[in-house]
């Protein structure tokens, strides 16, 4: 029996994790749930999996949670609050594995605490590896923590890597759907509107990640994650556009053999893989219907149309706090684009200008990383108020 804590339990990763835990109730026991503000959903999750502890970000919502539990006639778990409560949950001796499903920089501290506590960390929070990949990997080496990715591409790579040794890898190939502008001519890019960019062909996601999927910055961030998760230099991480999103990623080995992971697009698969690792257990996810797959297409991304990809690679080359700066400048630029303050094609320009101006620091503490993050947000905002980039 593996005892798990799900932080960010009411978000999309959290809800899928609860579903996996209910399905594997003889193998997974939910010790703790934590959420920011969706109290009703947290109450129904509590009724479903009976956690011993519940974390609520806002202490003012605790009474409401307890009352709703009593109204439903379910036993009220003990409640912890705020960042300290989260830290208690992820480092609790009763917890074997932490599912890190909190979105954004807010997920960084609890993920780091879980790693310091030597847990199995099923990592869905993107920022943690982008901002603090080196720090997290070093902390994991020291504590014995095992970080297993939940992001579909990285879960795919993890699965493919089991076919050979680390030293036998020639390159990792992350696949990308290509977003809504895969076939849009580059001349049209300056006129792209937020409405067009928010219309993603395959996935329904949050607003920032949807725009990041349109600029392909999302794939750039995934290259950074892959660099740290799998200890691969950036030169060994490639991207291929694959519009069908059936091949979730691939590993090419030195003998020229490529191993790919394919499957239905269902997050419960990578979540369950991370939580039962190194075992595979029967899941609720159907296999592929090969009779419905007529073709699999691949093409390299167009660097003219998607300069965010090369910016992500350069941030890795710069090292230190540069990926944190890239991420923060991107978030500011995407926000401005959504507010119609800048055209689509200014997103990479603002990121580039911010990266160029950054005074590089070592990313050897969360404080140093958060300082770079704050500097980049401020700088990117200032760049936008100037007329010439
Ligand atoms: Mg992904």
């Amino acid at each position: 029996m593996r005892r798990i804590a799900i932080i960010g339990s009411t978000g999309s990763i959290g809800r899928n994790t609860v579903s996996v835990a209910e399905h594997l109730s003889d193998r997974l026991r939910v010790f703790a749930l934590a959420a920011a503000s969706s109290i009703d959903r947290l109450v129904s999750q509590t009724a479903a999996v009976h956690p011993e502890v519940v974390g609520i970000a806002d202490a003012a919502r605790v009474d409401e949670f307890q009352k709703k539990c009593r109204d439903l006639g379910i036993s009220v778990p003990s409640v912890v609050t705020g960042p300290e409560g989260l830290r208690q949950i992820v480092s609790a001796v009763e917890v074997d594995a932490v599912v890190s499903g909190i979105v954004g920089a807010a997920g960084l501290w609890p993920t780091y605490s879980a790693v310091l506590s030597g847990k199995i960390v099923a990592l869905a929070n993107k920022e943690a590896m982008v901002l603090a990949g080196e720090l997290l990997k070093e902390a994991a080496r020291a504590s014995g923590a095992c970080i297993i990715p939940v992001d579909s591409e990285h879960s795919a790579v993890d699965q493919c890597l089991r076919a050979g040794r680390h030293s036998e890898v020639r390159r990792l190939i992350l696949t990308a759907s290509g977003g809504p502008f895969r076939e849009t001519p580059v001349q049209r890019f300056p006129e792209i509107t937020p409405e067009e960019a928010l219309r993603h062909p395959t996935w329904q996601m949050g607003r920032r990640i949807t725009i990041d999927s349109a600029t392909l910055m999302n794939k750039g961030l995934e290259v950074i994650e892959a660099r740290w998760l799998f200890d691969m230099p950036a030169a060994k991480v490639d991207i291929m556009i694959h519009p069908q999103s059936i091949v979730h990623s691939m590993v090419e080995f030195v003998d020229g053999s490529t191993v790919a992971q394919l499957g239905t697009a269902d997050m419960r698969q990578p979540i369950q893989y991370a939580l039962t690792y190194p075992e595979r257990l029967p899941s609720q996810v159907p296999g592929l219907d090969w009779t419905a797959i007529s073709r699999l297409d691949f093409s390299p991304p167009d660097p003219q149309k998607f300069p965010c990809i090369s910016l992500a690679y350069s941030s890795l080359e710069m090292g230190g706090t540069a990926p944190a700066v890239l991420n923060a400048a991107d978030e500011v630029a995407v926000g401005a684009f959504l507010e119609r303050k800048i055209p689509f094609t200014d997103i990479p320009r603002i990121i580039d200008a911010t990266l160029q101006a950054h005074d590089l620091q070592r990313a050897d503490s969360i404080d140093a990383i958060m300082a770079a993050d704050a500097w980049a947000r401020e700088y990117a905002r200032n760049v936008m108020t100037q007329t010439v980039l």
Side-chain angles (χ1 to χ4, degrees):
M1 190 63 103
R2 196 168 264 179
R3 292 161 303 175
I4 65 173
I6 309 172
I7 62 167
S9 73
T10 56
S12 124
I13 294 293
R15 295 199 302 272
N16 278 303
T17 307
V18 168
S19 164
V20 169
E22 287 185 278
H23 168 68
L24 293 180
S25 58
D26 55 334
R27 298 291 297 265
L28 300 173
R29 162 103 189 84
V30 179
F31 173 78
L33 296 171
S37 55
S38 307
I39 298 297
D40 286 333
R41 185 160 266 149
L42 189 59
V43 170
S44 57
Q45 290 183 333
T46 299
V49 296
H50 307 290
E52 280 159 57
V53 182
V54 159
I56 298 174
D58 181 359
R61 308 287 300 273
V62 174
D63 286 349
E64 178 192 349
F65 171 78
Q66 291 171 329
K67 181 179 182 307
K68 284 179 168 159
C69 283
R70 279 192 295 268
D71 289 350
L72 273 182
I74 56 175
S75 63
V76 185
S78 56
V79 177
V80 295
T81 59
E84 176 54 24
L86 263 189
R87 203 197 52 75
Q88 284 171 24
I89 284 176
V90 302
S91 57
V93 287
E94 294 92 339
V95 170
D96 303 307
V98 174
V99 178
S100 172
I102 296 179
V103 180
L108 183 54
W109 264 116
T111 304
Y112 188 48
S113 298
V115 169
L116 288 175
S117 307
K119 306 299 186 194
I120 298 164
V121 180
L123 185 67
N125 173 281
K126 209 174 267 288
E127 283 76 4
M129 271 295 152
V130 171
L131 272 63
E134 192 168 13
L135 190 65
L136 285 170
K137 287 299 278 190
E138 265 168 31
R141 263 190 294 273
S143 71
C146 175
I147 303 173
I148 307 176
V150 164
D151 202 355
S152 61
E153 292 80 358
H154 302 90
S155 176
V157 169
D158 192 286
Q159 295 178 56
C160 296
L161 282 173
R162 292 170 74 172
R165 295 198 186 98
H166 189 269
S167 59
E168 295 165 348
V169 174
R170 186 184 284 160
R171 60 176 179 148
L172 313 180
I173 304 159
L174 303 179
T175 54
S177 74
F181 308 122
R182 185 168 51 89
E183 291 183 325
T184 307
V186 68
Q187 298 78 8
R188 264 266 302 130
F189 270 50
E191 306 146 30
I192 288 171
T193 65
E195 289 73 23
E196 291 174 292
L198 286 170
R199 222 176 287 134
H200 193 272
T202 35
W203 301 97
Q204 188 62 42
M205 306 171 290
R207 282 159 70 84
R208 181 195 167 193
I209 189 168
T210 305
I211 303 300
D212 280 348
S213 300
T215 62
L216 294 198
M217 178 56 97
N218 183 52
K219 213 47 59 176
L221 298 176
E222 288 180 358
V223 168
I224 300 173
E225 286 185 88
R227 188 265 168 268
W228 296 117
L229 278 167
F230 307 115
D231 190 21
M232 279 299 154
K236 287 190 171 186
V237 185
D238 285 342
I239 298 170
M240 286 305 275
I241 304 294
H242 167 49
Q244 290 88 3
S245 300
I246 290 169
V247 175
H248 297 313
S249 279
M250 307 178 256
V251 174
E252 183 181 309
F253 290 93
V254 286
D255 60 357
S257 174
T258 296
V259 176
Q261 192 263 338
L262 292 74
T264 319
D266 186 325
M267 285 313 289
R268 290 174 302 180
Q269 198 285 318
I271 291 169
Q272 177 169 318
Y273 175 81
L275 287 175
T276 62
Y277 183 90
E279 278 183 271
R280 288 188 189 270
L281 295 174
S283 82
Q284 305 149 281
V285 180
L288 283 173
D289 177 4
W290 289 96
T291 61
I293 299 168
S294 54
R295 53 188 291 174
L296 300 172
D297 294 298
F298 299 92
S299 60
D302 180 343
Q304 229 67 48
K305 283 160 69 169
F306 304 110
C308 284
I309 291 181
S310 39
L311 290 172
Y313 277 98
S314 359
S315 80
L316 266 179
E317 210 168 290
M318 292 166 76
T321 45
V325 166
L326 171 97
N327 175 71
D330 176 64
E331 196 171 317
V332 170
V334 165
F337 166 69
L338 286 171
E339 290 166 25
R340 294 169 212 282
K341 288 181 183 153
I342 61 164
F344 189 75
T345 40
D346 271 4
I347 296 174
R349 293 199 189 113
I350 288 163
I351 299 165
D352 192 17
T354 311
L355 271 177
Q356 304 277 352
H358 181 54
D359 177 18
L360 210 57
Q361 306 291 324
R362 290 177 48 120
D364 54 5
S365 71
I366 300 277
D367 286 345
I369 292 162
M370 293 321 291
D373 173 279
W375 173 87
R377 279 167 206 278
E378 163 110 43
Y379 189 89
R381 271 186 219 105
N382 287 337
V383 165
M384 283 187 300
T385 61
Q386 297 155 16
T387 43
V388 185
L389 282 170

